Amino acid sequence: MKATCWMGKRDVRVERVPDPQILSPHDAIVRITSTAICGSDLHLYNGFVPTMERGDILGHEFMGEIVETGREVKTLKVGDRVVVPFPIACGHCLSCESQLYSVCENSNPNAAMAEGLWGYSPSGIFGYSHLTGGYAGGQAEYARVPYADVGPLKVPDGMTDEQALFLSDIFPTGYMGAELCGIKPGDTIAVWGCGPVGQFAIRSAFLLGAERVIAIDRFAYRLRMAEQAGAEPLDYEDVHSVLEALREMTGGRGPDACIDAVGMEAHGLGYALDRAKQAMMLETDRPIALREAIQSCRNGGTVSIIGVYGGFVDKFPIGSLMNRSLTIKAGQAHVQRYMKPLLNLIREGKIDPTFVITHTLSLDDAPRGYEMFLNKRDECMKVVLKT
Amino acid sequence: MTFTQNAARDRTAARESRRDQPQGGGALTPALGWFSLGLGLAQVAAPEAMTRLVGAGGGRREAQTMRAVGLREIATGIGILTQDRPAGWMWTRVGGDVMDLAILAGASSSRGARPERLAMAGAAVLGVLALDWLSARQESAAHDGHPAAREDGPVHARGAVTINRPREEVYRFWRQLDTLPRFMSHLEAVEPVDATRSRWRARGPMNTTYAWEAEITEDRPNERLAWRSLPGADVDNAGEVRFERATGGRGTVVRVDLRYTPPYGRAGMALAYLFGREPGAEMRDDLRALKQILETGEVTMSDAMLGRVRHPAQPDPRPVPHTSDHGRPV
Ligand SMILES: NC(=O)c1ccc[n+]([C@@H]2O[C@H](COP(=O)([O-])OP(=O)(O)OC[C@H]3O[C@@H](n4cnc5c(N)ncnc54)[C@H](O)[C@@H]3O)[C@@H](O)[C@H]2O)c1
Ligand SMILES: [Zn+2]
Ligand SMILES: [Zn+2]
């Protein structure tokens, strides 16, 4: 089959690789019809995630048709159309029983490696380094899906691929980011990052009852898309201090909750400073957005981190956090928890996830898709690849 | 057997067996791992600033060298933090320090070089070199305890895991004994002979096998099981497993304690292979597999774990036999 392979920093290629096989009785093989490139893939692309191997198949947002099932698979049969969540979860461990699927205790065969870096291991993830399992990803023609009874969700007839695809990641991720804020009527939510994840966080915040959402980024077209959802745009390059701007916009109190939908590769006013910090051997990730989110949040508010971080950061404002009674919540999305309810929101017409798609390419054009998405060329927001 | 975890385990084999103390090198090693990581990231992200910081002038060549050195530091840092056997990586650090000194010496002749700063940087590297040397020595010493090198005293391997199943079920699974090879990677077969005695066969390098008979010395259902090998064993060993109720009805805590007395010569070497890498790490992997089988019915596998040694996350080109009912491929 053809698959998008990571060949080194900023080098992905569509290569011929062997077809996947059933390895365990709970596996299924999916023939992929649509798949997407995620901001998380950019962290791999830019070489920020350790334990990548040349040749690793990328991709964790995909859907398609079941073409083979292992003998223990009960709920799926050949021909079913499914969308696959990016965290791999067994469904039976204590974490899975608590619906904390992205920290499943059984799905990372390289758990020992992750424990070395993080203390304990999160779940396995498709196409996302060997630290999270070394699973072949879904930017390919076929993929093997472990624990097929637990993850994949059947897509109802009449729903297009484009409507269902983002249930694999960015819609649940944005939704969880907003849900972690514990939004109450009248709340103002500030969202750092207006990429695809930020866009879904903004819309989810409104769905969950926020009265105002302030959207922060530097790309005009991304801010415009946020505005279309009803958010108030804040271009961080236009202001001296995001903290001051937010203070003013919220009448001196600060947003009730702040969502970091940027992660480890933040840009911004602190960028040069953080390079200097890195020069002093003090951090692996650039927590520019996170620092701002913490400083800007109102007393007693919540900071929700859904942007991905990999290692450690410097000048983490623990004093602000502690003295002002803030709450931090974070995580890779527990996608399985949100798929059904969000599918229903789509069916009821409460949201149409296709708004985020700006480019539809063939799988063969994946390298161009990565390059466009990274460099925000042609107002690129979300690239969907078709097989 | 195509199951690659075994291959991976066999691969690291004898070199890694540690004696008695579960951790060798001590607290210094992880700290140096973090140091490597941070330093490397700095050198890659801001090579110009770093070259200026150490006083090596601000040229392009110097920056390129700095970036290359940075990439080495990152690899080393992650290697130290994620590998089960940091000794090798620690020696990589020592080698890297020597390289840095050579580069700094070379830099003193380049344009814009600042001798005082270079001297300071050199002194700093010398200090780090001393720490690295110490830590690498400690790590290596910890590894020298493997049975081929040390022939006195028993080797201990301990581990614990919490399994989301009732105590009775976990105990029953273990008590069958012939179930043990499903999750203990070095075991090939355990055959119960009668109520207390059983025959064990384990894998060594190059398709060698080692056998012994064992007897159960204590059997408290749902609580504790202890066994030891009988005279004449290729490998003298004893073990116990305890089953405890986890708090709040959260399943069962399984605690295992294995001891084996390193025999001489051939068997001594074999033992090291049998128990694979550092016994504690091996034990944790085995217990993880036990948890996977009891909670999910299979041993979790990813593409990168199959077949060949360390390869990219791509499907295996050869047909892979389907798993047995036990979860492991047969
Ligand atoms: N938690 C999860 O489960 C999960 C799932 C998917 C993606 N993610 C993560 O979410 C993050 C965003 O993903 P995406 O697909 O939207 O990626 P993206 O790269 O398209 O979006 C990031 C946006 O952040 C903006 N940005 C950079 N620095 C900023 C700053 N200082 N302040 C405000 N905005 C800033 C960028 O301009 C960009 O528009 C990534 O870190 C990704 O890895 C997490
Ligand atoms: Zn993603
Ligand atoms: Zn699980």
Side-chain angles (χ1 to χ4, degrees), chain B residues 31-323:
Chain B
L32 289 168
W34 286 111
F35 180 79
S36 257
L37 203 59
L39 180 59
L41 281 154
Q43 289 164 331
V44 171
E48 296 87 0
M50 284 298 287
T51 36
R52 277 195 302 278
L53 195 71
V54 301
R60 255 184 72 127
R61 267 245 323 281
E62 286 80 4
Q64 270 167 3
T65 312
M66 186 57 85
R67 186 172 273 125
V69 171
L71 287 172
R72 183 203 72 211
E73 287 291 339
I74 292 175
T76 308
I78 287 166
I80 291 170
L81 289 172
T82 57
Q83 296 280 322
D84 293 317
R85 41 191 184 90
W89 286 104
M90 285 309 305
W91 285 113
T92 307
R93 272 196 58 96
V94 173
D97 295 338
V98 173
M99 207 170 102
D100 289 347
L101 284 174
I103 291 172
L104 285 172
S108 59
S109 62
S110 76
R111 217 150 49 86
R114 314 238 330 244
E116 359 47 88
R117 285 216 181 175
L118 277 173
M120 267 173 59
V125 175
L126 274 175
V128 172
L129 174 62
L131 279 179
D132 287 342
W133 181 269
L134 201 68
S135 187
R137 284 275 308 269
Q138 284 175 3
E139 284 293 339
S140 294
H143 286 285
D144 285 342
H146 73 63
R150 300 280 293 264
E151 281 148 13
D152 52 325
V155 175
H156 264 222
R158 277 183 293 261
V161 70
T162 303
I163 298 176
N164 195 19
R165 306 298 306 168
R167 206 152 58 137
E168 297 69 25
E169 186 185 328
V170 181
Y171 165 81
R172 216 181 309 123
F173 183 84
W174 194 297
R175 181 61 183 86
Q176 289 167 44
L177 298 186
D178 60 359
T179 47
L180 300 184
R182 296 185 198 174
F183 63 93
M184 289 194 167
S185 56
H186 64 283
L187 285 181
E188 234 164 41
V190 181
E191 294 160 35
V193 178
D194 57 33
T196 58
R197 288 185 326 139
S198 49
R199 256 195 295 276
W200 298 54
R201 206 170 64 241
R203 229 182 336 274
M206 292 171 290
N207 291 327
T208 48
T209 52
Y210 298 86
W212 64 89
E213 280 204 11
E215 67 170 355
I216 289 177
T217 52
E218 188 182 20
D219 182 359
R220 290 209 306 269
N222 308 328
E223 280 179 27
R224 181 175 187 265
L225 201 58
W227 64 92
R228 67 156 178 253
S229 59
L230 293 170
D234 286 352
V235 168
D236 277 336
N237 67 88
E240 72 160 332
V241 53
R242 277 174 291 141
F243 307 91
E244 298 164 9
R245 209 179 294 284
T247 55
R250 291 169 206 167
T252 305
V253 179
V254 177
R255 291 184 197 282
V256 185
D257 193 335
L258 282 186
R259 275 146 293 153
Y260 52 94
T261 307
Y264 293 87
R266 192 185 78 125
M269 279 303 295
L271 225 205
Y273 275 96
L274 294 185
F275 288 89
R277 316 185 315 245
E278 187 260 303
E282 187 80 357
M283 169 80 67
R284 279 191 296 280
D285 276 356
D286 286 352
L287 290 177
R288 247 194 291 273
L290 171 67
K291 176 178 163 77
Q292 288 166 358
I293 291 170
L294 285 170
E295 291 186 350
T296 78
E298 64 184 54
V299 175
T300 306
M301 267 179 301
S302 72
D303 310 85
M305 308 216 56
L306 274 173
R308 303 143 289 172
V309 167
R310 196 155 180 149
H311 67 94
Q314 285 187 5
D316 203 277
R318 305 157 310 172
V320 177
H322 285 208
T323 51

Side-chain angles (χ1 to χ4, degrees), chain A residues 144-164:
Chain A
R144 162 186 171 251
V145 177
Y147 308 118
D149 281 328
V150 182
L153 175 77
K154 278 190 223 173
V155 178
D157 293 337
M159 190 177 271
T160 63
D161 271 23
E162 283 71 13
Q163 284 174 304

Side-chain angles (χ1 to χ4, degrees), chain A residues 21-28 69-73 144 146-147, chain B residues 298-301 321-323 327:
Chain A
Q21 312 170 50
I22 300 273
L23 300 180
S24 305
H26 297 99
D27 290 354
T69 56
R71 98 188 111 68
E72 300 276 333
V73 175
R144 162 186 171 251
Y147 308 118
Chain B
E298 64 184 54
V299 175
T300 306
M301 267 179 301
H322 285 208
T323 51

Side-chain angles (χ1 to χ4, degrees), chain A residues 89-93 95-96 104-106:
Chain A
C90 78
H92 299 288
C93 67
S95 297
C96 284
C104 169
E105 297 157 30
N106 288 317

Side-chain angles (χ1 to χ4, degrees), chain A residues 37-43 60-61 86 128 169-170 173 176 191-198 216-219 222 236 260-269 288-289 292 305-309 331-335 373 376 381-382:
Chain A
I37 305 175
C38 178
S40 300
D41 293 325
L42 293 183
H43 301 318
H60 57 267
E61 304 182 358
F86 79 83
Y128 209 72
D169 180 350
I170 53 174
T173 298
M176 182 170 111
V191 179
W192 275 254
C194 296
V197 169
I216 307 161
D217 205 303
R218 77 174 186 283
F219 291 101
R222 295 190 165 205
Y236 66 77
D260 172 356
V262 177
M264 63 170 99
E265 290 185 69
H267 288 259
L269 291 178
I288 299 166
E292 272 177 11
I305 310 174
I306 48 172
V308 165
Y309 291 89
Q332 297 279 1
H334 305 295
V335 176
F373 182 44
K376 320 283 184 294
M381 181 63 94
K382 189 75 179 174

